[in-house]
Amino acid sequence: MNVMAKAKKKISSAFIYFFGSFGGILFGYDIGVMTGALPFLQADWHLENAASLVGWITSAVMFGAIFGGALAGQLSDKFGRRKMILMSAIVFMIFSVLSGVSPEIGEASAYYLIIVRMFLGLAVGAASALVPAYMSEMAPAKARGRLSGLNQTMIVSGMLLSYVVDFLLKDLPGEWAWRLMLGLAAVPALILFLGVLRLPESPRFLLRKGDEAQARKVLSYIRKNPAEIDQELASIKETAKEERQANQKTSWSTLFSSKYRYLVIAGVGVAAFQQFQGANAIFYYIPLIVQKATGQAASSNLMWPIVQGIILVIGSLVYMWIADKFNRRTLLMVGGAVMGLSFILPAVINWMMPNMNPMTIVVFLCIYVAFYSFTWAPLTWVLVGEIFPLAIRGRASGLASSFNWIGSWLVGLIFPIMTASMPQEAVFAIFGIICILGVIFVKTCVPETRGHTLEEIEEQGTNHGRVKATNPEN
């Protein structure tokens, strides 16, 4: 035990935060990898005219993630954040490999891959829930905002990594290209597993299990002085007590009581709009979008996902720089308005100028991605983390996450079906209208959370009519 304690003592806080957030790489890699793999898979399995199957293969991960996040949240309360992240990495490794070795058995091949990717989605959903929870419980309060930005940067870095891997493998024979693209997802999962083996359990979980001595030891790895440790232990105990009391008094019906309904609708609505605005349609299908716009083979357009990935990474860094300089609502409304126009304008231009350069739509999509990357992408989860009162936080956050994954799944599923039955510009115009509706929703239904205490936010929720009357900007 002494040897293990000394080994853990040498772990730096940077190591803990890096591997604590590394699960975002897995999340991002699997979001992005199908972008490059899909054109080769379509050609290999002759799925060019099977829009529904293509949609299901792509969106199966998100369908599994709907359940993975909720399941992991409950199991992590019983077994710990660290153990569940390790289990997620193992599941991710297994089903990434099984995706890469999909058998050639006719149409049944597609159904095999759909089922495997659903199980892979369980790990993706678990990572999306566990990583922010672990990071928030390990990070000092003053660093939580920046570290939420770090999680977003890890996610988009994982997407960029998958795009680069897809590009590097594109010249392989088609049947090998997509298999390696999907199978190599096991590599970051292995890295995560090996890194998390050295990570400690979160002090909050340890205290809930009554192990105060170990919780103190873990905090000593990442806090500067004994006084800070004592203060945080006391704070964790008090919060845990309040949460136990809150959970005893609340049920699912409490979320929609008059006291909390306004804040629940605001948080869940923002989480749902983030996905229904169509961002994942670009991330999953950009090579096929370019193919349909230009007539060039999708497999030769794998540079475009890299461009999108670079924009996403830069945008996540921009967000970390501006996060505390502008109101949440302002950023969401400006971002949503530009995103909506980026989708609607190509349809308008194409209607006015039928001979429009087909690459115009791709340029507008890049503008969309740029504004999404530093507004709706990170701010959705910042706002969800701030807006729910303690008494309903667990249930409301879970509901918001579920609606977000449902939106992601539906967009991935129906986009190829929509583009098979109507012009691409019309499909994006529909998403553009949803973006504008999102702006209206934020303007009318979402309170400002920046600079407000949790108590003040709850006051806005329970008395929002009076607050709006006396303070219209909120």
Side-chain angles (χ1 to χ4, degrees), residues 45-323:
W45 285 359
H46 308 291
L47 299 176
E48 289 86 350
N49 298 314
S52 295
L53 277 180
V54 169
W56 268 107
I57 290 171
T58 303
S59 65
V61 166
M62 286 75 77
F63 185 79
I66 295 171
F67 307 98
L71 184 64
Q74 294 181 25
L75 291 177
S76 69
D77 285 341
K78 183 176 182 180
F79 299 108
R81 309 334 181 198
R82 176 181 171 275
K83 287 182 181 178
M84 290 308 302
I85 293 175
L86 286 171
M87 184 59 66
S88 299
I90 293 171
V91 172
F92 199 98
M93 277 188 279
I94 292 171
F95 287 97
S96 293
V97 172
L98 290 178
S99 297
V101 298
S102 299
E104 297 268 2
I105 46 177
E107 188 174 302
S109 299
Y111 296 109
Y112 166 90
L113 188 55
I114 289 169
I115 293 171
V116 167
R117 283 178 57 76
M118 283 183 183
F119 279 99
L120 185 60
L122 291 175
V124 171
S128 73
L130 293 169
V131 168
Y134 181 84
M135 291 294 286
S136 68
E137 293 178 7
M138 297 297 286
K142 61 184 179 183
R144 281 181 191 144
R146 292 197 308 275
L147 288 170
S148 68
L150 175 61
N151 182 46
Q152 176 66 19
T153 300
M154 284 288 191
I155 292 171
V156 295
S157 296
M159 293 174 68
L160 178 58
L161 174 64
S162 72
Y163 298 150
V164 172
V165 169
D166 289 348
F167 183 79
L168 294 175
L169 298 178
K170 68 182 177 64
D171 293 325
L172 291 176
E175 63 177 311
W176 283 101
W178 70 265
R179 292 179 183 278
L180 276 173
M181 290 171 185
L182 298 184
L184 284 174
V187 175
L190 177 60
I191 295 172
L192 174 66
F193 180 83
L194 295 175
V196 174
L197 278 177
R198 296 191 65 209
L199 292 186
E201 184 52 85
S202 86
R204 185 184 183 117
F205 174 79
L206 292 169
L207 271 178
R208 287 182 62 182
K209 294 300 180 181
D211 194 347
E212 183 172 341
Q214 187 63 26
R216 181 179 294 276
K217 182 183 289 186
V218 172
L219 283 174
S220 72
Y221 305 153
I222 52 179
R223 301 294 185 263
K224 292 181 179 180
N225 56 68
E228 187 179 359
I229 294 171
D230 291 338
Q231 182 179 1
E232 185 155 353
L233 282 172
S235 176
I236 293 172
K237 288 179 182 178
E238 181 61 29
T239 301
K241 179 181 176 181
E242 291 175 3
E243 287 183 342
R244 282 195 298 270
Q245 293 172 345
N247 289 334
Q248 290 171 359
K249 298 176 182 177
T250 61
S251 63
W252 282 103
S253 62
T254 308
L255 270 61
F256 302 100
S257 65
S258 58
K259 182 176 182 180
Y260 298 121
R261 189 186 305 126
Y262 172 64
L263 295 177
V264 170
I265 291 173
V268 173
V270 168
F273 267 111
Q274 187 206 42
Q275 291 300 332
F276 282 109
Q277 289 168 337
N280 281 347
I282 303 173
F283 303 146
Y284 299 142
Y285 298 112
I286 185 65
L288 300 180
I289 292 169
V290 177
Q291 173 181 287
K292 192 160 186 175
T294 65
Q296 300 173 357
S299 56
S300 65
N301 286 312
L302 296 189
M303 180 58 74
W304 280 105
I306 294 178
V307 172
Q308 307 282 3
I310 292 172
I311 293 172
L312 284 169
V313 172
I314 293 173
S316 73
L317 298 175
V318 169
Y319 165 73
M320 292 175 71
W321 177 52
I322 68 172

Side-chain angles (χ1 to χ4, degrees), residues 219-437:
L219 283 174
S220 72
Y221 305 153
I222 52 179
R223 301 294 185 263
K224 292 181 179 180
N225 56 68
E228 187 179 359
I229 294 171
D230 291 338
Q231 182 179 1
E232 185 155 353
L233 282 172
S235 176
I236 293 172
K237 288 179 182 178
E238 181 61 29
T239 301
K241 179 181 176 181
E242 291 175 3
E243 287 183 342
R244 282 195 298 270
Q245 293 172 345
N247 289 334
Q248 290 171 359
K249 298 176 182 177
T250 61
S251 63
W252 282 103
S253 62
T254 308
L255 270 61
F256 302 100
S257 65
S258 58
K259 182 176 182 180
Y260 298 121
R261 189 186 305 126
Y262 172 64
L263 295 177
V264 170
I265 291 173
V268 173
V270 168
F273 267 111
Q274 187 206 42
Q275 291 300 332
F276 282 109
Q277 289 168 337
N280 281 347
I282 303 173
F283 303 146
Y284 299 142
Y285 298 112
I286 185 65
L288 300 180
I289 292 169
V290 177
Q291 173 181 287
K292 192 160 186 175
T294 65
Q296 300 173 357
S299 56
S300 65
N301 286 312
L302 296 189
M303 180 58 74
W304 280 105
I306 294 178
V307 172
Q308 307 282 3
I310 292 172
I311 293 172
L312 284 169
V313 172
I314 293 173
S316 73
L317 298 175
V318 169
Y319 165 73
M320 292 175 71
W321 177 52
I322 68 172
D324 296 319
K325 298 181 179 179
F326 297 94
N327 283 348
R328 317 287 194 230
R329 283 172 19 112
T330 301
L331 288 174
L332 288 172
M333 288 190 290
V334 170
V338 175
M339 288 154 55
L341 290 174
S342 299
F343 275 159
I344 294 171
L345 285 177
V348 173
I349 294 172
N350 188 59
W351 174 65
M352 297 176 63
M353 302 169 56
N355 296 321
M356 174 186 78
N357 187 320
M359 289 304 291
T360 301
I361 190 172
V362 180
V363 173
F364 276 103
L365 292 185
C366 289
I367 296 172
Y368 173 99
V369 171
F371 276 81
Y372 174 81
S373 68
F374 67 85
T375 58
W376 281 83
L379 275 170
T380 294
W381 300 114
V382 173
L383 191 141
V384 165
E386 295 173 333
I387 202 168
F388 298 131
L390 178 64
I392 61 167
R393 187 171 301 154
R395 288 185 173 89
S397 296
L399 186 65
S401 178
S402 294
F403 268 84
N404 187 264
W405 279 115
I406 290 169
S408 178
W409 166 58
L410 285 174
V411 168
L413 176 64
I414 67 174
F415 181 77
I417 300 173
M418 293 172 70
T419 55
S421 59
M422 66 178 74
Q424 218 166 219
E425 292 84 359
V427 175
F428 284 120
I430 292 171
F431 285 130
I433 293 170
I434 295 174
C435 289
I436 300 303
L437 291 175

